[in-house]
């Protein structure tokens, strides 16, 4: 059974507004706080929202804590999803495929099979790239070993 953390990492919530109790507390973060925590720029975070990858980012509903209404506030769930998106990007998933996954997740449990298939297909692509990289690594190791032996035998030839 998946852990709560692994479930939250890919959960995509619906659009929501935050009430005053959430603003300024530990349940929400400003765009600059999220940028600092994730290493993503504020520009990238806004872009993710604009392209539909994260259109569900909450907004402040009042001037709580001196803020202004409508200011973006990210939840722990949002941070988990950004972590998951980061893993997908690191493994080479296209932005279009990530958006499709997010759209399906917002549609609910009836799309579980399709989301599963997206991830299975992507895993196969990742495994194929790992195989290719392993082959490349063997060539590099061979060359490094070869040049190391040549350098050890003939230091003057390398000068």
């Amino acid at each position: 059974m998946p852990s709560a953390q692994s479930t939250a990492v890919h959960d995509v919530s619906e659009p929501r507004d935050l009430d005053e109790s959430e603003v300024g507390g530990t349940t929400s973060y400003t765009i600059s706080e999220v940028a600092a925590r994730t290493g993503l720029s504020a520009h990238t975070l806004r872009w993710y929202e604009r392209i539909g990858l994260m259109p569900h980012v909450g907004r402040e509903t009042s001037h709580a804590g001196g803020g202004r209404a409508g200011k973006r506030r990210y939840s722990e769930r949002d941070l988990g999803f950004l972590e998951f998106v980061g893993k997908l990007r690191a493994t080479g998933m296209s932005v279009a495929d990530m958006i499709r996954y997010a759209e399906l997740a917002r549609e609910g449990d009836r799309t579980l099979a399709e989301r599963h298939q997206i991830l299975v297909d992507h895993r196969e692509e990742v495994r194929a790239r790992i195989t290719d990289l392993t082959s490349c690594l063997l060539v590099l190791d061979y060359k490094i070993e070869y040049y190391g032996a040549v350098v050890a035998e003939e230091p003057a030839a390398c000068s």
Side-chain angles (χ1 to χ4, degrees):
M1 178 171 203
S3 70
Q5 182 180 11
S6 66
T7 302
V9 174
H10 69 275
D11 196 6
V12 181
S13 62
E14 291 299 314
R16 62 190 170 72
D17 290 325
L18 302 174
D19 63 29
E20 290 187 31
S21 67
E22 291 181 289
V23 177
T26 59
T27 60
S28 68
Y29 304 92
T30 65
I31 197 167
S32 59
E33 290 170 329
V34 172
R37 288 177 71 125
T38 64
L40 297 168
S41 69
H43 174 77
T44 297
L45 293 167
R46 285 192 221 56
W47 180 67
Y48 280 179
E49 190 174 349
R50 197 168 46 253
I51 65 173
L53 187 57
M54 290 193 67
H56 61 280
V57 174
R59 303 289 178 154
E60 291 180 4
T61 58
S62 70
H63 297 288
R68 60 180 203 269
K71 188 175 179 182
R72 286 173 181 86
R73 298 299 290 198
Y74 293 81
S75 68
E76 289 293 335
R77 173 184 268 175
D78 296 329
L79 292 177
F81 184 69
L82 287 169
E83 180 182 350
F84 179 63
V85 165
K87 301 294 185 199
L88 296 177
R89 284 299 294 152
T91 58
M93 182 179 275
S94 72
V95 172
D97 284 346
M98 288 189 294
I99 292 169
R100 179 68 183 139
Y101 179 91
E103 289 169 346
L104 291 168
R106 285 190 292 276
E107 291 178 28
D109 287 350
R110 67 182 181 83
T111 66
L112 286 172
E114 193 171 350
R115 284 183 274 160
H116 174 260
Q117 193 59 53
I118 288 170
L119 296 176
V120 167
D121 293 345
H122 184 63
R123 179 180 61 190
E124 290 310 309
E125 293 171 14
V126 170
R127 285 182 172 159
R129 278 200 318 283
I130 289 170
T131 298
D132 290 345
L133 286 172
T134 301
S135 173
C136 293
L137 186 58
L138 290 172
V139 171
L140 287 172
D141 287 344
Y142 171 79
K143 286 293 193 180
I144 289 168
E145 187 177 326
Y146 171 78
Y147 290 131
V150 170
V151 169
E153 290 177 14
E154 302 178 27
C158 297
S159 300

PDB file of all heavy atoms in Angstrom, residues 30-60:
ATOM      1  N   THR A  30       4.198  31.432   0.194  1.00  0.00           N
ATOM      2  CA  THR A  30       4.201  32.409  -0.895  1.00  0.00           C
ATOM      3  C   THR A  30       5.002  31.855  -2.061  1.00  0.00           C
ATOM      4  O   THR A  30       5.768  30.891  -1.913  1.00  0.00           O
ATOM      5  CB  THR A  30       4.838  33.736  -0.463  1.00  0.00           C
ATOM      6  OG1 THR A  30       6.226  33.500  -0.183  1.00  0.00           O
ATOM      7  CG2 THR A  30       4.134  34.328   0.758  1.00  0.00           C
ATOM      8  N   ILE A  31       4.873  32.499  -3.194  1.00  0.00           N
ATOM      9  CA  ILE A  31       5.626  32.059  -4.369  1.00  0.00           C
ATOM     10  C   ILE A  31       7.134  32.154  -4.125  1.00  0.00           C
ATOM     11  O   ILE A  31       7.888  31.284  -4.545  1.00  0.00           O
ATOM     12  CB  ILE A  31       5.184  32.819  -5.636  1.00  0.00           C
ATOM     13  CG1 ILE A  31       5.664  32.085  -6.893  1.00  0.00           C
ATOM     14  CG2 ILE A  31       5.614  34.270  -5.590  1.00  0.00           C
ATOM     15  CD1 ILE A  31       5.018  32.585  -8.174  1.00  0.00           C
ATOM     16  N   SER A  32       7.563  33.170  -3.400  1.00  0.00           N
ATOM     17  CA  SER A  32       9.006  33.297  -3.134  1.00  0.00           C
ATOM     18  C   SER A  32       9.485  32.202  -2.174  1.00  0.00           C
ATOM     19  O   SER A  32      10.599  31.692  -2.325  1.00  0.00           O
ATOM     20  CB  SER A  32       9.356  34.683  -2.601  1.00  0.00           C
ATOM     21  OG  SER A  32       8.652  34.958  -1.411  1.00  0.00           O
ATOM     22  N   GLU A  33       8.653  31.826  -1.207  1.00  0.00           N
ATOM     23  CA  GLU A  33       9.024  30.729  -0.310  1.00  0.00           C
ATOM     24  C   GLU A  33       9.106  29.410  -1.069  1.00  0.00           C
ATOM     25  O   GLU A  33      10.024  28.613  -0.847  1.00  0.00           O
ATOM     26  CB  GLU A  33       8.000  30.608   0.825  1.00  0.00           C
ATOM     27  CG  GLU A  33       8.053  31.751   1.811  1.00  0.00           C
ATOM     28  CD  GLU A  33       6.894  31.760   2.792  1.00  0.00           C
ATOM     29  OE1 GLU A  33       5.782  31.305   2.432  1.00  0.00           O
ATOM     30  OE2 GLU A  33       7.098  32.232   3.930  1.00  0.00           O
ATOM     31  N   VAL A  34       8.173  29.186  -1.989  1.00  0.00           N
ATOM     32  CA  VAL A  34       8.184  27.955  -2.787  1.00  0.00           C
ATOM     33  C   VAL A  34       9.404  27.950  -3.698  1.00  0.00           C
ATOM     34  O   VAL A  34      10.067  26.918  -3.856  1.00  0.00           O
ATOM     35  CB  VAL A  34       6.873  27.797  -3.580  1.00  0.00           C
ATOM     36  CG1 VAL A  34       6.960  26.629  -4.541  1.00  0.00           C
ATOM     37  CG2 VAL A  34       5.705  27.611  -2.628  1.00  0.00           C
ATOM     38  N   ALA A  35       9.716  29.084  -4.289  1.00  0.00           N
ATOM     39  CA  ALA A  35      10.900  29.182  -5.153  1.00  0.00           C
ATOM     40  C   ALA A  35      12.158  28.816  -4.350  1.00  0.00           C
ATOM     41  O   ALA A  35      13.001  28.048  -4.824  1.00  0.00           O
ATOM     42  CB  ALA A  35      11.007  30.579  -5.755  1.00  0.00           C
ATOM     43  N   ALA A  36      12.264  29.336  -3.148  1.00  0.00           N
ATOM     44  CA  ALA A  36      13.435  29.044  -2.315  1.00  0.00           C
ATOM     45  C   ALA A  36      13.485  27.567  -1.923  1.00  0.00           C
ATOM     46  O   ALA A  36      14.558  26.960  -1.909  1.00  0.00           O
ATOM     47  CB  ALA A  36      13.414  29.918  -1.059  1.00  0.00           C
ATOM     48  N   ARG A  37      12.331  26.976  -1.623  1.00  0.00           N
ATOM     49  CA  ARG A  37      12.293  25.577  -1.189  1.00  0.00           C
ATOM     50  C   ARG A  37      12.533  24.596  -2.328  1.00  0.00           C
ATOM     51  O   ARG A  37      13.079  23.520  -2.128  1.00  0.00           O
ATOM     52  CB  ARG A  37      10.952  25.263  -0.540  1.00  0.00           C
ATOM     53  CG  ARG A  37      10.773  25.903   0.825  1.00  0.00           C
ATOM     54  CD  ARG A  37       9.399  25.617   1.361  1.00  0.00           C
ATOM     55  NE  ARG A  37       9.287  24.221   1.722  1.00  0.00           N
ATOM     56  CZ  ARG A  37       8.926  23.775   2.899  1.00  0.00           C
ATOM     57  NH1 ARG A  37       8.620  24.622   3.844  1.00  0.00           N
ATOM     58  NH2 ARG A  37       8.845  22.484   3.138  1.00  0.00           N
ATOM     59  N   THR A  38      12.087  24.945  -3.541  1.00  0.00           N
ATOM     60  CA  THR A  38      12.151  23.999  -4.659  1.00  0.00           C
ATOM     61  C   THR A  38      13.300  24.246  -5.618  1.00  0.00           C
ATOM     62  O   THR A  38      13.642  23.371  -6.404  1.00  0.00           O
ATOM     63  CB  THR A  38      10.846  24.047  -5.481  1.00  0.00           C
ATOM     64  OG1 THR A  38      10.718  25.354  -6.069  1.00  0.00           O
ATOM     65  CG2 THR A  38       9.636  23.717  -4.631  1.00  0.00           C
ATOM     66  N   GLY A  39      13.860  25.455  -5.595  1.00  0.00           N
ATOM     67  CA  GLY A  39      14.893  25.802  -6.569  1.00  0.00           C
ATOM     68  C   GLY A  39      14.315  26.250  -7.898  1.00  0.00           C
ATOM     69  O   GLY A  39      15.057  26.587  -8.816  1.00  0.00           O
ATOM     70  N   LEU A  40      12.996  26.273  -8.008  1.00  0.00           N
ATOM     71  CA  LEU A  40      12.346  26.768  -9.218  1.00  0.00           C
ATOM     72  C   LEU A  40      12.205  28.284  -9.097  1.00  0.00           C
ATOM     73  O   LEU A  40      12.014  28.802  -8.000  1.00  0.00           O
ATOM     74  CB  LEU A  40      10.955  26.145  -9.382  1.00  0.00           C
ATOM     75  CG  LEU A  40      10.909  24.639  -9.563  1.00  0.00           C
ATOM     76  CD1 LEU A  40       9.476  24.136  -9.427  1.00  0.00           C
ATOM     77  CD2 LEU A  40      11.485  24.251 -10.917  1.00  0.00           C
ATOM     78  N   SER A  41      12.256  28.964 -10.212  1.00  0.00           N
ATOM     79  CA  SER A  41      12.068  30.410 -10.164  1.00  0.00           C
ATOM     80  C   SER A  41      10.582  30.742 -10.052  1.00  0.00           C
ATOM     81  O   SER A  41       9.718  29.941 -10.415  1.00  0.00           O
ATOM     82  CB  SER A  41      12.644  31.061 -11.425  1.00  0.00           C
ATOM     83  OG  SER A  41      11.859  30.720 -12.560  1.00  0.00           O
ATOM     84  N   ALA A  42      10.284  31.946  -9.576  1.00  0.00           N
ATOM     85  CA  ALA A  42       8.894  32.409  -9.521  1.00  0.00           C
ATOM     86  C   ALA A  42       8.314  32.425 -10.937  1.00  0.00           C
ATOM     87  O   ALA A  42       7.137  32.096 -11.132  1.00  0.00           O
ATOM     88  CB  ALA A  42       8.815  33.788  -8.878  1.00  0.00           C
ATOM     89  N   HIS A  43       9.143  32.775 -11.908  1.00  0.00           N
ATOM     90  CA  HIS A  43       8.701  32.782 -13.306  1.00  0.00           C
ATOM     91  C   HIS A  43       8.251  31.376 -13.729  1.00  0.00           C
ATOM     92  O   HIS A  43       7.200  31.217 -14.355  1.00  0.00           O
ATOM     93  CB  HIS A  43       9.831  33.283 -14.202  1.00  0.00           C
ATOM     94  CG  HIS A  43       9.526  33.202 -15.657  1.00  0.00           C
ATOM     95  ND1 HIS A  43       8.705  34.093 -16.297  1.00  0.00           N
ATOM     96  CD2 HIS A  43       9.915  32.304 -16.597  1.00  0.00           C
ATOM     97  CE1 HIS A  43       8.602  33.755 -17.576  1.00  0.00           C
ATOM     98  NE2 HIS A  43       9.330  32.671 -17.777  1.00  0.00           N
ATOM     99  N   THR A  44       9.029  30.362 -13.381  1.00  0.00           N
ATOM    100  CA  THR A  44       8.676  28.979 -13.722  1.00  0.00           C
ATOM    101  C   THR A  44       7.392  28.562 -13.023  1.00  0.00           C
ATOM    102  O   THR A  44       6.526  27.921 -13.632  1.00  0.00           O
ATOM    103  CB  THR A  44       9.823  28.019 -13.356  1.00  0.00           C
ATOM    104  OG1 THR A  44      10.971  28.365 -14.139  1.00  0.00           O
ATOM    105  CG2 THR A  44       9.456  26.568 -13.602  1.00  0.00           C
ATOM    106  N   LEU A  45       7.242  28.926 -11.759  1.00  0.00           N
ATOM    107  CA  LEU A  45       6.028  28.585 -11.028  1.00  0.00           C
ATOM    108  C   LEU A  45       4.791  29.228 -11.670  1.00  0.00           C
ATOM    109  O   LEU A  45       3.760  28.582 -11.828  1.00  0.00           O
ATOM    110  CB  LEU A  45       6.150  28.997  -9.564  1.00  0.00           C
ATOM    111  CG  LEU A  45       7.191  28.205  -8.761  1.00  0.00           C
ATOM    112  CD1 LEU A  45       7.475  28.880  -7.431  1.00  0.00           C
ATOM    113  CD2 LEU A  45       6.740  26.768  -8.573  1.00  0.00           C
ATOM    114  N   ARG A  46       4.906  30.492 -12.069  1.00  0.00           N
ATOM    115  CA  ARG A  46       3.789  31.148 -12.754  1.00  0.00           C
ATOM    116  C   ARG A  46       3.513  30.479 -14.103  1.00  0.00           C
ATOM    117  O   ARG A  46       2.370  30.329 -14.510  1.00  0.00           O
ATOM    118  CB  ARG A  46       4.083  32.631 -12.956  1.00  0.00           C
ATOM    119  CG  ARG A  46       3.963  33.473 -11.692  1.00  0.00           C
ATOM    120  CD  ARG A  46       3.972  34.943 -12.053  1.00  0.00           C
ATOM    121  NE  ARG A  46       4.706  35.847 -11.249  1.00  0.00           N
ATOM    122  CZ  ARG A  46       5.991  35.851 -10.910  1.00  0.00           C
ATOM    123  NH1 ARG A  46       6.778  34.893 -11.264  1.00  0.00           N
ATOM    124  NH2 ARG A  46       6.511  36.799 -10.199  1.00  0.00           N
ATOM    125  N   TRP A  47       4.596  30.086 -14.802  1.00  0.00           N
ATOM    126  CA  TRP A  47       4.455  29.418 -16.096  1.00  0.00           C
ATOM    127  C   TRP A  47       3.738  28.090 -15.925  1.00  0.00           C
ATOM    128  O   TRP A  47       2.845  27.757 -16.704  1.00  0.00           O
ATOM    129  CB  TRP A  47       5.831  29.235 -16.730  1.00  0.00           C
ATOM    130  CG  TRP A  47       5.809  28.563 -18.060  1.00  0.00           C
ATOM    131  CD1 TRP A  47       5.287  29.054 -19.222  1.00  0.00           C
ATOM    132  CD2 TRP A  47       6.347  27.269 -18.378  1.00  0.00           C
ATOM    133  NE1 TRP A  47       5.470  28.145 -20.244  1.00  0.00           N
ATOM    134  CE2 TRP A  47       6.119  27.042 -19.760  1.00  0.00           C
ATOM    135  CE3 TRP A  47       7.002  26.293 -17.645  1.00  0.00           C
ATOM    136  CZ2 TRP A  47       6.517  25.877 -20.402  1.00  0.00           C
ATOM    137  CZ3 TRP A  47       7.405  25.141 -18.283  1.00  0.00           C
ATOM    138  CH2 TRP A  47       7.160  24.936 -19.647  1.00  0.00           C
ATOM    139  N   TYR A  48       4.093  27.311 -14.898  1.00  0.00           N
ATOM    140  CA  TYR A  48       3.417  26.045 -14.624  1.00  0.00           C
ATOM    141  C   TYR A  48       1.912  26.280 -14.453  1.00  0.00           C
ATOM    142  O   TYR A  48       1.095  25.500 -14.916  1.00  0.00           O
ATOM    143  CB  TYR A  48       3.973  25.383 -13.365  1.00  0.00           C
ATOM    144  CG  TYR A  48       5.276  24.632 -13.529  1.00  0.00           C
ATOM    145  CD1 TYR A  48       5.866  24.011 -12.439  1.00  0.00           C
ATOM    146  CD2 TYR A  48       5.923  24.532 -14.760  1.00  0.00           C
ATOM    147  CE1 TYR A  48       7.052  23.299 -12.561  1.00  0.00           C
ATOM    148  CE2 TYR A  48       7.112  23.830 -14.887  1.00  0.00           C
ATOM    149  CZ  TYR A  48       7.672  23.217 -13.788  1.00  0.00           C
ATOM    150  OH  TYR A  48       8.843  22.514 -13.909  1.00  0.00           O
ATOM    151  N   GLU A  49       1.558  27.355 -13.777  1.00  0.00           N
ATOM    152  CA  GLU A  49       0.149  27.675 -13.584  1.00  0.00           C
ATOM    153  C   GLU A  49      -0.503  28.065 -14.921  1.00  0.00           C
ATOM    154  O   GLU A  49      -1.578  27.584 -15.260  1.00  0.00           O
ATOM    155  CB  GLU A  49       0.032  28.817 -12.574  1.00  0.00           C
ATOM    156  CG  GLU A  49      -1.366  29.083 -12.112  1.00  0.00           C
ATOM    157  CD  GLU A  49      -1.430  30.116 -11.013  1.00  0.00           C
ATOM    158  OE1 GLU A  49      -0.393  30.504 -10.436  1.00  0.00           O
ATOM    159  OE2 GLU A  49      -2.558  30.554 -10.733  1.00  0.00           O
ATOM    160  N   ARG A  50       0.166  28.894 -15.684  1.00  0.00           N
ATOM    161  CA  ARG A  50      -0.363  29.397 -16.960  1.00  0.00           C
ATOM    162  C   ARG A  50      -0.594  28.279 -17.978  1.00  0.00           C
ATOM    163  O   ARG A  50      -1.585  28.280 -18.695  1.00  0.00           O
ATOM    164  CB  ARG A  50       0.600  30.451 -17.520  1.00  0.00           C
ATOM    165  CG  ARG A  50       0.043  31.329 -18.588  1.00  0.00           C
ATOM    166  CD  ARG A  50       0.910  32.550 -18.918  1.00  0.00           C
ATOM    167  NE  ARG A  50       2.326  32.296 -19.077  1.00  0.00           N
ATOM    168  CZ  ARG A  50       3.278  32.636 -18.198  1.00  0.00           C
ATOM    169  NH1 ARG A  50       2.974  33.252 -17.080  1.00  0.00           N
ATOM    170  NH2 ARG A  50       4.528  32.365 -18.433  1.00  0.00           N
ATOM    171  N   ILE A  51       0.297  27.291 -18.027  1.00  0.00           N
ATOM    172  CA  ILE A  51       0.174  26.219 -19.038  1.00  0.00           C
ATOM    173  C   ILE A  51      -0.754  25.092 -18.593  1.00  0.00           C
ATOM    174  O   ILE A  51      -0.989  24.155 -19.336  1.00  0.00           O
ATOM    175  CB  ILE A  51       1.553  25.636 -19.427  1.00  0.00           C
ATOM    176  CG1 ILE A  51       2.221  24.933 -18.246  1.00  0.00           C
ATOM    177  CG2 ILE A  51       2.429  26.720 -20.048  1.00  0.00           C
ATOM    178  CD1 ILE A  51       3.498  24.183 -18.591  1.00  0.00           C
ATOM    179  N   GLY A  52      -1.260  25.180 -17.366  1.00  0.00           N
ATOM    180  CA  GLY A  52      -2.200  24.170 -16.894  1.00  0.00           C
ATOM    181  C   GLY A  52      -1.577  23.039 -16.106  1.00  0.00           C
ATOM    182  O   GLY A  52      -2.265  22.080 -15.764  1.00  0.00           O
ATOM    183  N   LEU A  53      -0.295  23.136 -15.822  1.00  0.00           N
ATOM    184  CA  LEU A  53       0.338  22.090 -15.021  1.00  0.00           C
ATOM    185  C   LEU A  53      -0.094  22.207 -13.559  1.00  0.00           C
ATOM    186  O   LEU A  53      -0.316  21.207 -12.885  1.00  0.00           O
ATOM    187  CB  LEU A  53       1.863  22.174 -15.142  1.00  0.00           C
ATOM    188  CG  LEU A  53       2.659  21.052 -14.499  1.00  0.00           C
ATOM    189  CD1 LEU A  53       2.249  19.692 -15.038  1.00  0.00           C
ATOM    190  CD2 LEU A  53       4.153  21.277 -14.726  1.00  0.00           C
ATOM    191  N   MET A  54      -0.234  23.430 -13.084  1.00  0.00           N
ATOM    192  CA  MET A  54      -0.667  23.684 -11.700  1.00  0.00           C
ATOM    193  C   MET A  54      -1.701  24.812 -11.655  1.00  0.00           C
ATOM    194  O   MET A  54      -1.483  25.820 -10.990  1.00  0.00           O
ATOM    195  CB  MET A  54       0.532  24.059 -10.835  1.00  0.00           C
ATOM    196  CG  MET A  54       1.471  22.919 -10.584  1.00  0.00           C
ATOM    197  SD  MET A  54       2.634  23.281  -9.275  1.00  0.00           S
ATOM    198  CE  MET A  54       1.582  23.358  -7.846  1.00  0.00           C
ATOM    199  N   PRO A  55      -2.825  24.666 -12.322  1.00  0.00           N
ATOM    200  CA  PRO A  55      -3.806  25.757 -12.338  1.00  0.00           C
ATOM    201  C   PRO A  55      -4.584  25.885 -11.033  1.00  0.00           C
ATOM    202  O   PRO A  55      -5.352  26.807 -10.859  1.00  0.00           O
ATOM    203  CB  PRO A  55      -4.746  25.354 -13.471  1.00  0.00           C
ATOM    204  CG  PRO A  55      -4.710  23.874 -13.457  1.00  0.00           C
ATOM    205  CD  PRO A  55      -3.267  23.531 -13.111  1.00  0.00           C
ATOM    206  N   HIS A  56      -4.367  24.987 -10.112  1.00  0.00           N
ATOM    207  CA  HIS A  56      -5.126  24.900  -8.874  1.00  0.00           C
ATOM    208  C   HIS A  56      -4.502  25.649  -7.705  1.00  0.00           C
ATOM    209  O   HIS A  56      -4.955  25.511  -6.583  1.00  0.00           O
ATOM    210  CB  HIS A  56      -5.279  23.426  -8.498  1.00  0.00           C
ATOM    211  CG  HIS A  56      -3.952  22.773  -8.286  1.00  0.00           C
ATOM    212  ND1 HIS A  56      -3.176  22.345  -9.330  1.00  0.00           N
ATOM    213  CD2 HIS A  56      -3.255  22.507  -7.158  1.00  0.00           C
ATOM    214  CE1 HIS A  56      -2.057  21.833  -8.845  1.00  0.00           C
ATOM    215  NE2 HIS A  56      -2.085  21.917  -7.541  1.00  0.00           N
ATOM    216  N   VAL A  57      -3.457  26.450  -7.933  1.00  0.00           N
ATOM    217  CA  VAL A  57      -2.785  27.130  -6.832  1.00  0.00           C
ATOM    218  C   VAL A  57      -3.783  28.053  -6.136  1.00  0.00           C
ATOM    219  O   VAL A  57      -4.506  28.812  -6.782  1.00  0.00           O
ATOM    220  CB  VAL A  57      -1.564  27.926  -7.344  1.00  0.00           C
ATOM    221  CG1 VAL A  57      -0.951  28.750  -6.212  1.00  0.00           C
ATOM    222  CG2 VAL A  57      -0.533  26.967  -7.936  1.00  0.00           C
ATOM    223  N   GLY A  58      -3.821  27.950  -4.809  1.00  0.00           N
ATOM    224  CA  GLY A  58      -4.761  28.742  -4.022  1.00  0.00           C
ATOM    225  C   GLY A  58      -4.452  30.220  -4.045  1.00  0.00           C
ATOM    226  O   GLY A  58      -3.342  30.646  -4.391  1.00  0.00           O
ATOM    227  N   ARG A  59      -5.435  30.992  -3.673  1.00  0.00           N
ATOM    228  CA  ARG A  59      -5.316  32.453  -3.613  1.00  0.00           C
ATOM    229  C   ARG A  59      -5.843  32.941  -2.276  1.00  0.00           C
ATOM    230  O   ARG A  59      -6.781  32.373  -1.724  1.00  0.00           O
ATOM    231  CB  ARG A  59      -6.145  33.114  -4.728  1.00  0.00           C
ATOM    232  CG  ARG A  59      -5.802  32.684  -6.132  1.00  0.00           C
ATOM    233  CD  ARG A  59      -4.475  33.217  -6.552  1.00  0.00           C
ATOM    234  NE  ARG A  59      -4.161  32.738  -7.894  1.00  0.00           N
ATOM    235  CZ  ARG A  59      -3.365  33.367  -8.719  1.00  0.00           C
ATOM    236  NH1 ARG A  59      -2.792  34.487  -8.362  1.00  0.00           N
ATOM    237  NH2 ARG A  59      -3.105  32.857  -9.904  1.00  0.00           N
ATOM    238  N   GLU A  60      -5.258  34.023  -1.788  1.00  0.00           N
ATOM    239  CA  GLU A  60      -5.773  34.652  -0.576  1.00  0.00           C
ATOM    240  C   GLU A  60      -7.126  35.276  -0.899  1.00  0.00           C
ATOM    241  O   GLU A  60      -7.326  35.802  -1.989  1.00  0.00           O
ATOM    242  CB  GLU A  60      -4.814  35.740  -0.090  1.00  0.00           C
ATOM    243  CG  GLU A  60      -3.516  35.194   0.447  1.00  0.00           C
ATOM    244  CD  GLU A  60      -2.570  36.282   0.939  1.00  0.00           C
ATOM    245  OE1 GLU A  60      -2.947  37.471   0.930  1.00  0.00           O
ATOM    246  OE2 GLU A  60      -1.448  35.935   1.316  1.00  0.00           O
TER     247      GLU A  60
END
